[in-house]
Amino acid sequence: METDTGALPKKQDFSEWYNEILWRAEIMDVRYPVKGLYVWFPYGFAIRKFVYQHLRELLDRDHKETLFPLLIPEQEFMKEAEHIKGFEDEVYWVTHGGTTPLEVKLALRPTSETAIYPMFALWVRSHADLPIKIYQIVNTFRYETKQTRPLIRLREITSFMESHTVHATWDEAEIQVESEIALTREFYRNLCIPIIISKRPDWDKFPGADYTIAVDAIMPNGKTLQIGTVHHLGNHFSRTFNIQYEDKNGEQKEAYQTCYGISERCIAALISLHGDDKGLILPPTVATFQVVIVPITIGKRHEDVLAAAGKLKNDLENAGLRVTLDTRDLRPGAKYYWWEIRGVPLRLELGPRDLDSGKAMAVTRTGEKTTICLANAAEDTTSILTGITDAIRAKAGEHTKSHLCTTHTMDGLDIALNEGKVAVVHWCRDRTCGDTIEEKANSSLLGTEVRSEYIEATDGPCIICGKPGKATLVGRTY
Amino acid sequence: METDTGALPKKQDFSEWYNEILWRAEIMDVRYPVKGLYVWFPYGFAIRKFVYQHLRELLDRDHKETLFPLLIPEQEFMKEAEHIKGFEDEVYWVTHGGTTPLEVKLALRPTSETAIYPMFALWVRSHADLPIKIYQIVNTFRYETKQTRPLIRLREITSFMESHTVHATWDEAEIQVESEIALTREFYRNLCIPIIISKRPDWDKFPGADYTIAVDAIMPNGKTLQIGTVHHLGNHFSRTFNIQYEDKNGEQKEAYQTCYGISERCIAALISLHGDDKGLILPPTVATFQVVIVPITIGKRHEDVLAAAGKLKNDLENAGLRVTLDTRDLRPGAKYYWWEIRGVPLRLELGPRDLDSGKAMAVTRTGEKTTICLANAAEDTTSILTGITDAIRAKAGEHTKSHLCTTHTMDGLDIALNEGKVAVVHWCRDRTCGDTIEEKANSSLLGTEVRSEYIEATDGPCIICGKPGKATLVGRTY
């Protein structure tokens, strides 16, 4: 596959850079002959594998993994009124098996509440069955009519983690919501992605939820990308699907529920936040290869260098690192370029003179040059990789901090938006004031929305009416 | 979930035993409201996870994992004539997105040749791009009209591993077929499942293949279950999908291909072959828990026993073992019964007297009683688990050997079939003789088929006409 020709667009032209990097770094092939469906290249799939492996490790502490069917019969799908309203325009319907029309139409899950909750109704009998905390990682489907984008807006979401929990009380479900948020923080911290936690306004919550907590990242172009949501479902679904339990006193009670999702948008954020003009930059935790070794075999000691490079690879792999040794018949410069585009965090260069000195040149994808001692290769490398993780996290943190701008005036809002930032303003949560903010924001920058209550910020007077208000995110979004 | 009441059917009533064990050992819930679709319980899902993790490890040596879309546009699906004939009655069609009819109907993949090969046509340019060896583990769909059975005959195959390779020559593709067979042998050896490798007759090969190698297990009721297939596709698909490469002399050549599949039937065989009248018996490699520790806390030293059991669990987990400590408020006997049904290979019982002696009672699910030394717990346990694996493999080997019966007479065939065995007879491969064998076999036992050329057996004279013939499997099948 020749994916490696011509110059990469600059990252400041983010949309072009993003499309090109998916191709050039072999993440996804967008040439599949159906709109909104894409093919994972092996290199990209490996990143997906490590990202979801990490997510599984976190979930497995407190949830159990399961797998439910993709196809949901129409009568179950249509049970919860608000839920249907939220999804009816977006659902793919299977209507035929072979040439035979099906008696009952089958929906491709857009999300699995209506597949899972009829089973929960069978599983939950007594308080002793609670809590139930399960998750699955599956493909889900949305008939998107907006412009589709790989990893961001898809018709087949290939990698949807959805967790579903059942509890005895509303309060216990709320504690679970907090627990899922803490898990999400840990997950994204390990991907070096700074996140903003906010509470969606009522008109933007999950169809059928009491409330929705959203997790967003700020992309390089200043748009927010929602990369996770946790929903307190109250007893809406348990009423609809009849999920009841007998409490200790023998009384029948309605259960309370939460659900929680993370899709491959986490990988869109990973790629977008960390990459630069040279290509991807992958945090070592989820990099396809953490280290590339490039042997410099010019001159007589060709075999010696190759042998030492092979030994170095073995030493690092024995320490649990993912390493590739590039012995292709190419100039070293061409190899550097190849692996920079693909975001390998650390390059080790090993030439004849390094053999004599017992060292190898170490060049990080974040721009540092140093050496490792061959006799102590695994330890030195691990230490450099830790430094790379810190550097990637710090850079993404700065980006997010500098793109989040608290302001108390409409002029300040105007400036913030035009500088490609997400504004934080205080708002009394009255719809009229909200509409005024949105209208003025839109006259500054088209497509701006009053998004969400920013949980971690302090309260203040409404920017419009001066009454007590909550910090609220105002910006463009994907 | 109360799954644990009443007596388990005897294993000789295999069909009842199978259905009951899936439920009682918490493998699958069959109450999902669509025929042929089932829910993986967490306990069963963990077995699936370990089985496929092992399969991935084997595949990753020589293949790269990818992921292609589920939905295949009608025009691609309809390109290969034989392939369509093989699947047209079984394909689910998506016809609507929301309430809008789709311009192009989309098939849910029954298998992914027609999704993957248009991309191969883009990926393959030159001989340097070859070979390509990729795989994916995905859900696939068949609108089965026959009776459905969990893990065996499904409408959603939840766990289909399909490998697809592209080669420069027919011979290289054949070498790949051999390599996939070797991989399959290793996989099933580690699951302790004896397999029969055979070549399907022309009328039973994969639609569009040059030839098909099948992998079967003999189930407890004497029926064969196909648990893997490897297909040499020749250049049929590469012609249809225009997969060509430029060779070293600059000439355009057609590529040759193989494909290869293993579905969750591997888990059906695992459960069926190893289980007994008491429930599942899981080989340690893929057991949800490899060890259950049951503390015997009758009497005064309750806390001491629990502390020692906790320490034992830690010691074993630190050695990489999967362990559960059952501290529920139940009689030890009830716990034994519970974990026997679920097939945990080793039970360790720890009571007050064991603390004094520094030992724990070790009871294997295969019927051995011994002790482990607490000071040397991990090593002793690992050694016992190895013995369990050997015992499970030996028992399954005996079953298969005793159910495979070579015969040279029609009377012998009659007896073999009526004893619930798979007969091996020699056959000249002439259709008339084949039909005669099948007719007579069916008068002995309804549903018997002349199946497949048994590769590992020696040649001999045809049982009907006496001409030189190949060993051929005759029996019932799923």
Side-chain angles (χ1 to χ4, degrees):
Chain A
M1 290 172 264
E2 282 179 41
T3 57
D4 208 3
T5 48
L8 196 64
K10 297 281 176 200
K11 196 172 171 195
Q12 65 194 37
D13 305 322
F14 174 65
S15 194
E16 283 166 55
W17 179 91
Y18 181 76
N19 289 334
E20 194 68 18
I21 202 69
L22 289 179
W23 166 246
R24 297 275 288 275
E26 294 180 300
I27 307 295
M28 307 215 93
D29 195 326
V30 300
R31 294 172 296 174
Y32 191 77
V34 181
K35 173 185 151 83
L37 306 185
Y38 309 98
V39 176
W40 284 94
F41 280 125
Y43 191 83
F45 190 86
I47 300 169
R48 174 193 184 269
K49 181 169 75 174
F50 296 122
V51 166
Y52 281 85
Q53 193 167 295
H54 176 56
L55 185 55
R56 276 193 166 95
E57 279 165 21
L58 297 179
L59 283 159
D60 285 343
R61 292 180 192 160
D62 187 35
H63 302 69
K64 289 183 170 164
E65 191 169 359
T66 56
L67 190 53
F68 284 76
L70 169 70
L71 302 173
I72 305 172
E74 188 177 20
Q75 72 276 15
E76 296 296 338
F77 190 76
M78 292 301 190
K79 264 188 187 159
E80 218 288 333
E82 284 184 57
H83 193 71
I84 303 162
K85 257 190 285 172
F87 289 105
E88 64 185 348
D89 292 337
E90 293 187 359
V91 171
Y92 280 110
W93 288 103
V94 179
T95 57
H96 285 74
T99 50
T100 317
L102 299 178
E103 281 174 34
V104 175
K105 280 202 297 181
L106 300 168
L108 302 192
R109 62 182 160 223
T111 169
S112 299
E113 287 71 19
T114 56
I116 296 176
Y117 299 172
M119 302 308 292
F120 278 171
L122 299 169
W123 292 2
V124 176
R125 287 276 160 271
S126 126
H127 62 91
D129 297 324
L130 299 179
I132 290 178
K133 301 180 188 181
I134 58 127
Y135 75 96
Q136 59 178 6
I137 297 174
V138 293
N139 50 351
T140 65
F141 294 82
R142 312 254 166 118
Y143 182 64
E144 291 284 354
T145 48
K146 293 191 203 169
Q147 193 190 347
T148 53
R149 269 176 219 280
L151 302 175
I152 291 180
R153 190 171 297 281
L154 308 137
R155 289 188 166 179
E156 178 178 11
I157 297 162
T158 67
S159 319
F160 188 55
M161 183 295 292
E162 49 178 330
S163 152
H164 298 268
T165 70
V166 192
H167 306 269
T169 65
W170 196 96
D171 289 350
E172 282 174 32
E174 180 160 56
I175 290 167
Q176 188 65 30
V177 168
E178 293 301 325
S179 161
E180 311 296 34
I181 294 169
L183 190 159
T184 309
R185 279 188 204 279
E186 190 171 352
F187 174 64
Y188 281 117
R189 183 176 157 73
N190 292 330
L191 299 188
C192 304
I193 297 173
I195 54 174
I196 300 169
I197 313 274
S198 67
K199 191 172 179 177
R200 289 273 180 261
D202 264 5
W203 61 84
D204 199 24
K205 68 187 186 186
F206 182 73
D210 267 10
Y211 64 85
T212 287
I213 303 293
V215 177
D216 289 271
I218 303 181
M219 296 287 267
N221 57 5
K223 285 191 186 180
T224 54
L225 180 70
Q226 179 179 294
I227 53 175
T229 45
V230 188
H231 313 289
H232 193 309
L233 300 178
N235 57 1
H236 300 194
F237 285 91
S238 63
R239 281 191 178 178
T240 306
F241 288 95
N242 203 23
I243 305 170
Q244 294 193 337
Y245 67 97
E246 190 177 278
D247 74 4
K248 285 182 182 164
N249 307 317
E251 279 177 51
Q252 286 294 310
K253 293 271 175 76
E254 274 162 0
Y256 292 84
Q257 296 181 262
T258 80
C259 65
Y260 160 43
I262 286 180
S263 78
E264 61 240 57
R265 281 188 164 194
C266 62
I267 296 170
L270 184 84
I271 288 169
S272 304
L273 276 174
H274 304 323
D276 66 9
D277 288 351
K278 290 182 181 174
L280 280 190
I281 299 180
L282 294 170
T285 9
V286 296
T288 305
F289 301 110
Q290 295 164 320
V291 179
V292 53
I293 301 170
V294 179
I296 315 290
T297 54
I298 304 157
K300 289 182 188 170
R301 294 172 66 190
H302 187 91
E303 295 305 322
D304 293 351
V305 169
L306 280 186
K311 181 179 180 307
L312 177 57
K313 179 170 190 263
N314 273 342
D315 289 350
L316 298 181
E317 284 182 339
N318 288 340
L321 296 174
R322 298 190 290 274
V323 185
T324 183
L325 169 59
D326 189 347
T327 57
R328 290 176 300 168
D329 186 17
L330 290 174
R331 285 177 305 105
K335 293 181 184 178
Y336 300 168
Y337 179 75
W338 172 278
W339 293 111
E340 276 168 1
I341 284 192
R342 285 160 181 78
V344 176
L346 180 62
R347 178 175 83 228
L348 298 177
E349 304 167 12
L350 194 65
R353 265 186 292 178
D354 299 309
L355 297 191
D356 301 330
S357 66
K359 294 189 171 174
M361 174 74 82
V363 183
T364 76
R365 186 62 185 78
T366 44
E368 307 288 325
K369 280 194 182 188
T370 174
T371 56
I372 63 158
C373 182
L374 292 176
N376 199 33
E379 207 173 304
D380 285 3
T381 302
T382 305
S383 153
I384 295 173
L385 289 174
T386 305
I388 295 172
T389 302
D390 293 342
I392 293 174
R393 189 179 290 130
K395 191 176 140 234
E398 273 164 39
H399 159 80
T400 302
K401 206 173 155 192
S402 71
H403 279 75
L404 203 55
C405 173
T406 302
T407 176
H408 303 287
T409 66
M410 294 308 288
D411 282 351
L413 177 61
D414 181 55
I415 294 165
L417 293 174
N418 278 295
E419 285 176 344
K421 294 178 179 173
V422 176
V424 181
V425 302
H426 289 94
W427 168 45
C428 62
R429 303 170 85 183
D430 180 273
R431 187 83 195 232
T432 322
C433 287
D435 287 349
T436 308
I437 297 172
E438 201 159 279
E439 201 176 300
K440 295 208 178 179
N442 261 287
S443 70
S444 293
L445 186 69
L446 212 64
T448 305
E449 292 174 37
V450 173
R451 286 291 290 166
S452 211
E453 180 187 326
Y454 183 22
I455 290 176
E456 285 150 327
T458 50
D459 297 351
C462 175
I463 193 171
I464 303 296
C465 70
K467 286 183 198 158
K470 295 278 180 190
T472 300
L473 299 163
V474 180
R476 288 176 307 149
T477 185
Y478 273 96
Chain B
M1 288 173 265
E2 284 179 41
T3 57
D4 208 3
T5 47
L8 196 65
K10 296 280 177 201
K11 195 171 172 195
Q12 65 193 37
D13 305 323
F14 175 66
S15 194
E16 283 166 57
W17 179 91
Y18 182 76
N19 289 333
E20 194 69 18
I21 202 69
L22 288 180
W23 165 245
R24 298 276 287 277
E26 295 180 299
I27 307 296
M28 307 216 93
D29 196 327
V30 301
R31 295 173 294 174
Y32 191 77
V34 181
K35 173 184 152 85
L37 306 186
Y38 309 98
V39 176
W40 285 93
F41 280 125
Y43 191 83
F45 189 86
I47 299 169
R48 174 194 184 271
K49 180 170 77 175
F50 295 122
V51 166
Y52 281 84
Q53 194 168 294
H54 176 57
L55 185 55
R56 276 193 167 94
E57 278 165 22
L58 297 179
L59 284 159
D60 285 343
R61 291 181 193 160
D62 188 34
H63 302 68
K64 288 182 171 164
E65 190 169 1
T66 55
L67 190 53
F68 283 75
L70 169 71
L71 302 173
I72 305 172
E74 188 177 18
Q75 71 276 16
E76 296 296 337
F77 190 77
M78 291 302 191
K79 265 187 186 159
E80 217 290 329
E82 283 184 56
H83 193 70
I84 302 162
K85 257 191 284 172
F87 289 105
E88 65 185 347
D89 292 336
E90 292 188 0
V91 172
Y92 280 110
W93 289 103
V94 178
T95 58
H96 285 73
T99 50
T100 315
L102 299 178
E103 282 175 32
V104 176
K105 280 201 296 180
L106 300 168
L108 301 193
R109 62 182 160 223
T111 169
S112 299
E113 286 72 18
T114 55
I116 295 176
Y117 299 171
M119 302 309 292
F120 278 172
L122 299 170
W123 293 2
V124 176
R125 287 277 161 270
S126 128
H127 63 92
D129 297 324
L130 299 178
I132 290 178
K133 303 180 187 181
I134 57 125
Y135 76 96
Q136 59 178 6
I137 297 174
V138 293
N139 50 350
T140 65
F141 294 81
R142 312 255 166 116
Y143 182 65
E144 292 285 355
T145 47
K146 294 190 203 169
Q147 192 190 348
T148 54
R149 271 177 218 280
L151 303 174
I152 291 180
R153 191 172 295 281
L154 307 136
R155 289 188 167 180
E156 178 179 10
I157 297 162
T158 67
S159 318
F160 188 55
M161 184 294 292
E162 49 178 332
S163 153
H164 298 269
T165 69
V166 192
H167 306 268
T169 66
W170 197 95
D171 289 350
E172 281 174 33
E174 179 159 57
I175 291 167
Q176 188 65 30
V177 168
E178 293 301 324
S179 161
E180 311 295 34
I181 293 170
L183 191 159
T184 309
R185 279 189 204 279
E186 189 171 353
F187 174 63
Y188 280 117
R189 180 175 160 74
N190 292 329
L191 299 187
C192 305
I193 297 174
I195 53 174
I196 300 169
I197 313 275
S198 67
K199 190 172 180 178
R200 288 275 180 262
D202 265 4
W203 61 85
D204 199 24
K205 69 186 184 185
F206 181 73
D210 266 10
Y211 65 85
T212 288
I213 303 294
V215 177
D216 289 272
I218 303 181
M219 295 286 268
N221 58 4
K223 285 190 185 181
T224 54
L225 181 70
Q226 180 178 296
I227 53 175
T229 45
V230 187
H231 312 290
H232 193 309
L233 299 178
N235 58 0
H236 299 193
F237 285 91
S238 62
R239 279 190 180 181
T240 306
F241 288 96
N242 202 24
I243 305 170
Q244 294 193 339
Y245 67 97
E246 191 178 278
D247 73 5
K248 284 182 183 164
N249 307 318
E251 278 177 52
Q252 285 295 312
K253 292 272 174 76
E254 275 163 1
Y256 293 83
Q257 296 181 262
T258 80
C259 65
Y260 159 43
I262 287 180
S263 78
E264 60 240 58
R265 280 188 164 193
C266 63
I267 296 171
L270 183 85
I271 288 169
S272 304
L273 276 175
H274 303 322
D276 67 9
D277 288 350
K278 290 182 180 174
L280 281 188
I281 298 180
L282 294 171
T285 9
V286 296
T288 305
F289 300 110
Q290 296 164 320
V291 180
V292 53
I293 302 170
V294 179
I296 316 290
T297 54
I298 304 156
K300 289 180 190 172
R301 296 172 64 190
H302 186 92
E303 296 304 323
D304 292 353
V305 169
L306 280 185
K311 180 178 180 309
L312 176 58
K313 179 170 191 263
N314 274 341
D315 289 351
L316 298 180
E317 284 182 340
N318 288 339
L321 297 173
R322 297 189 292 273
V323 185
T324 184
L325 169 59
D326 190 346
T327 56
R328 290 176 300 169
D329 186 19
L330 290 172
R331 284 178 304 104
K335 294 181 184 178
Y336 300 168
Y337 179 75
W338 171 276
W339 293 111
E340 276 168 0
I341 284 191
R342 284 161 182 78
V344 176
L346 180 62
R347 178 174 83 228
L348 298 177
E349 305 168 11
L350 193 65
R353 266 187 292 179
D354 299 310
L355 297 192
D356 301 331
S357 66
K359 294 190 171 171
M361 175 73 84
V363 183
T364 76
R365 186 61 185 77
T366 44
E368 307 289 325
K369 279 192 182 190
T370 174
T371 56
I372 64 159
C373 182
L374 293 177
N376 199 32
E379 207 174 305
D380 285 2
T381 301
T382 305
S383 152
I384 295 173
L385 289 174
T386 304
I388 294 172
T389 302
D390 293 343
I392 293 174
R393 188 179 291 131
K395 192 177 139 233
E398 274 165 37
H399 160 80
T400 302
K401 205 173 156 190
S402 71
H403 279 74
L404 204 54
C405 174
T406 301
T407 176
H408 303 286
T409 65
M410 293 310 288
D411 281 353
L413 178 61
D414 180 55
I415 293 166
L417 293 174
N418 278 297
E419 284 177 346
K421 294 179 180 174
V422 176
V424 181
V425 303
H426 289 93
W427 168 45
C428 62
R429 305 170 85 184
D430 179 275
R431 187 80 196 234
T432 322
C433 288
D435 287 350
T436 309
I437 298 171
E438 200 159 280
E439 201 177 301
K440 295 209 175 176
N442 261 287
S443 70
S444 294
L445 186 68
L446 212 64
T448 304
E449 292 173 39
V450 174
R451 287 290 291 164
S452 212
E453 181 187 324
Y454 184 23
I455 290 176
E456 285 150 328
T458 50
D459 296 350
C462 175
I463 194 171
I464 302 296
C465 70
K467 286 183 196 156
K470 295 279 179 189
T472 300
L473 299 164
V474 180
R476 289 175 307 147
T477 186
Y478 275 95

